[in-house]
Amino acid sequence: QVQLVESGGGLVQTGGSLRLSCAASDRTFSTYRMGWFRQSPGKEREFVAAITLITGSTYYAEFVKGRFTVSRDNAKNTLYLQMNSLLPADTAVYYCAAQGSVTTAWSNRLLYDRWGQGTQVTVSS
């Protein structure tokens, strides 16, 4: 079972940047897509961005388009989320996840079968 470990979260001011990393414990050869989700207190976990490993196709939630970039380094088995122009509304625990099934439902968290433990991102105003 591949384990996912996020890092890179922290405290940043409005307009600042952070880069999150998600290291996989083993080759993600059985993974079709990897994604980032986030969850704020009292809210459901929501889709942020995803990337299909074979094609490199990327997908973003509307509220992060133009600000966040998802990428991966296959040699390092690592997924990244570059977050720029951060807003207080971006404050949340960010989770990376892996999707093993071939599906077009890149934003459906129920179809992601492996999750990391999360990393806190706090944006101060």
Side-chain angles (χ1 to χ4, degrees):
Q1 185 83 345
V2 173
Q3 292 185 332
L4 306 175
V5 180
E6 303 96 335
S7 61
L11 174 64
V12 65
Q13 291 185 333
T14 296
S17 298
L18 284 174
R19 188 176 80 156
L20 305 184
S21 300
C22 174
S25 63
D26 202 347
R27 288 182 58 197
T28 53
F29 57 86
S30 61
T31 298
Y32 178 68
R33 182 179 292 123
M34 295 192 73
W36 290 98
F37 290 75
R38 70 186 189 186
Q39 189 168 19
S40 303
K43 294 185 178 181
E44 289 191 353
R45 194 168 298 187
E46 62 181 354
F47 171 76
V48 175
I51 184 168
T52 301
L53 298 188
I54 294 177
T55 64
S57 297
T58 56
Y59 316 90
Y60 296 95
E62 282 298 322
F63 54 79
V64 302
K65 280 185 178 179
R67 301 190 298 127
F68 292 10
T69 303
V70 62
S71 62
R72 89 284 193 212
D73 185 329
N74 291 335
K76 295 182 178 180
N77 296 331
T78 301
L79 178 74
Y80 301 101
L81 184 67
Q82 177 66 44
M83 306 187 295
N84 299 327
S85 302
L86 283 162
L87 304 169
D90 295 317
T91 295
V93 177
Y94 283 71
Y95 299 88
C96 76
Q99 191 176 56
S101 302
V102 176
T103 174
T104 58
W106 55 78
S107 64
N108 187 340
R109 61 183 173 87
L110 298 179
L111 297 182
Y112 285 78
D113 42 27
R114 283 159 287 165
W115 293 84
Q117 83 290 347
T119 185
Q120 176 71 47
V121 171
T122 303
V123 184
S124 63
S125 56

